[in-house]
Amino acid sequence: MDSDYSSDTRVVGTLGYLAPEYAECGKVSTKTDVYAFGVVLLQLITGLQTTDKELGGRSLVGWARPLLKERNYPALIDHRIIDSHDVHQLFWMVRVAEKCLTKDPRKRLTMDTVS
């Protein structure tokens, strides 16, 4: 269930994919996986890895958050794919990623909604 959290406080996972509530408090829910899915989607859109050198020492999500907040979607999309895909679909993918990466897990999409 989304509202049930594990009491295990050991944090295990790959840096860059960890949801804030898991990284900070060890709280796990299905929304933790939704966050990780948002990171993967962001990687596909941007063409960047979670710790890419182009990010200037920031995480991929940390780099993307200001652009998402400003709705600067074109700056997020990998220039290698912009001409070969429908721009409206790419912007839709960015919005889905943004909703998966919401800091508050209660406000994140569910995977049922994503699919």
Side-chain angles (χ1 to χ4, degrees):
M1 298 185 103
D2 287 348
S3 61
D4 293 338
Y5 287 103
S6 167
S7 61
D8 188 1
T9 56
R10 246 177 337 142
V11 175
V12 179
T14 304
L15 186 64
Y17 296 90
L18 302 179
E21 70 278 6
Y22 180 60
E24 294 167 11
C25 306
K27 292 182 179 178
V28 178
S29 74
T30 56
K31 298 292 184 95
T32 310
D33 292 332
V34 171
Y35 186 91
F37 176 78
V39 174
V40 172
L41 193 54
L42 196 57
Q43 286 180 295
L44 293 171
I45 295 163
T46 63
L48 299 171
Q49 297 298 314
T50 57
T51 57
D52 205 292
K53 289 181 183 178
E54 289 183 38
L55 303 174
R58 293 176 288 177
S59 70
L60 178 60
V61 175
W63 169 82
R65 279 206 194 280
L67 297 170
L68 291 168
K69 186 176 181 179
E70 298 165 2
R71 306 263 189 258
N72 188 354
Y73 300 156
L76 290 164
I77 299 171
D78 186 339
H79 68 277
R80 298 170 292 187
I81 66 168
I82 194 99
D83 293 330
S84 61
H85 292 78
D86 180 282
V87 73
H88 297 291
Q89 289 180 346
L90 290 170
F91 285 2
W92 177 83
M93 287 176 61
V94 171
R95 291 285 294 145
V96 170
E98 180 178 26
K99 290 179 180 184
C100 290
L101 296 170
T102 301
K103 289 181 182 181
D104 183 345
R106 295 168 298 181
K107 294 180 181 177
R108 266 181 227 143
L109 294 178
T110 63
M111 284 311 292
D112 286 341
T113 305
V114 170
S115 59

